[in-house]
Amino acid sequence: MDRVRAWLPLEGTDPVMGPLIGALLLLAVVVLRAALRRTRVERRLDSPLTLIVIGLVLGEIAALNPDRTGLFLWAQAGFVAAISIGIVRALLILFIQFHLRARQGAGVSAIVRDVGSVVVYFIIILLVLRFILDINLASLVATSAVLTAIVGLALQDTLGSVISGLVLELEDPFSPDDWIRVGNYEGQVVETGWRTTRIRTRVNELVTLPNTYLAREPVVNYSRPDPRYGDTLRFHAAYEAPPHAVKEIVTAVFAADPAVLRIPEIEVRSTAYGESAMEYAIRYWIDDFKELERIRDRLMTNVWYGLRRADIRIPYPARDVFVRTEIPEPKLARGGDAVATLGRVPLFASLPPDALQRLAASAQRLIFARGETVVREGDPGSSFYVIERGRVRVLLDEGNGHRGRLVAELGARDFFGEMSLLAGEPRSATVMADEDTVVVEVEHHAFKEIVAATPAVLEPISEVAAHRLAEQQALRRSESLAGERSPSAHTMLQRFREFFRL
Ligand code: CMP
């Protein structure tokens, strides 16, 4: 045992074996680092291995100066401190990073890791000072009031942050990846350290908040324990629009959005009789807080289209005085002429002008936003649409409520909705606006008049309808409807005639 002690640069070092063993150890660590080069372990163990190398170099200096002079003592102290801290650090890293994470899938929080290691290093330094250099720092600090005051003042803020960090760790008001708001800052928690906590905002700012700030300010956690968030949007609608109608339209717009939860229910409340409009607030729930701004944008946009379709104005403030009497129209809705739109459809080319006029008089022009559904597969339907501007996609349900298979894309002058209108059957497909789209909607009774006066109009429509049905069935053939034959144009015509009792 004594021989082994003599090999180390401790008390009486062996003048030959001491430096030799030190050099061999140094070589071993350098070889180990080279072997681990560019591996995950090496990156993590970089700092402890550097400390151990420094320790071994100091050990060599001590071993080569065994005369126990000042240099020997300091080199010896450096040797013991650097080697001990390096080994403790390496063990901690290996244990926490690899053993705990790999075995239990759980890590140790940064603050416990950091505070724990700082305490251990501090104890090692105290012991080295005490037993090797014979400096008793603890009693020095305890007996020297001035030193205590200096150390105390210097560490005041840091200690406050560390203690706040530990309190946060115990209270656990948030964990990494949670969305939180503290004071004016809102973002996703990246990491809680021993002095600070970092959050990343929506615009990718990395905000470093001192733990003392987090301990002082109220912390709002959007992710835990319940990830659902009840957001409120406000909007205005014209006084002449009955509040129940407004509420129904807006609720339908919100319910159609995939990000809005069904439970808790959507609530629309009229909140005030404003200067120029009735004010409403709508409370809806989502569970994806990070998407909040995009969801709000989509909903506010679709509310505009929904109110527009129902002919409900969103009034300008009363102080904007419009001299003209008509209501200012948005560009998309302006200028359309239903007669011209219907007249451009080859289907109606044979209609006499007065019939076209009558059809247009009872038709409505509607605007749909990109992504909005115009008709939904399976819904009852009794109207027919001609596209004035924009594009739509015709999609088939893929079963279990997923709509997805694209059957066709239609643009200006095309029409859709003829199948339900003419056969009284539910909608055979979903039609969704692919960009902002204006359609002219013709109702069943108006069409019936035209068919009664000009039955020939049914023929070209039956051909188109038969062709479309055949396309749908070709797509569905791989599924349950395999083998079913599509009706011919003639059969379709018969069906339409029966429905119109011709
Ligand atoms: P309808 O069944 O009333 O509602 C959905 C509409 O999608 C349908 O009428 C047609 O107008 C349209 N549609 C269905 N299949 C096709 C297709 N293959 N090509 C173009 N449009 C179609």
Side-chain angles (χ1 to χ4, degrees), residues 375 394 407-408 416-420 427-429 431 468 471-472:
V375 302
V394 182
V407 201
F416 59 89
E418 76 291 344
M419 299 192 187
S420 296
R427 297 290 184 196
S428 63
V431 180
R468 287 179 171 179
E471 274 182 353
Q472 282 186 20

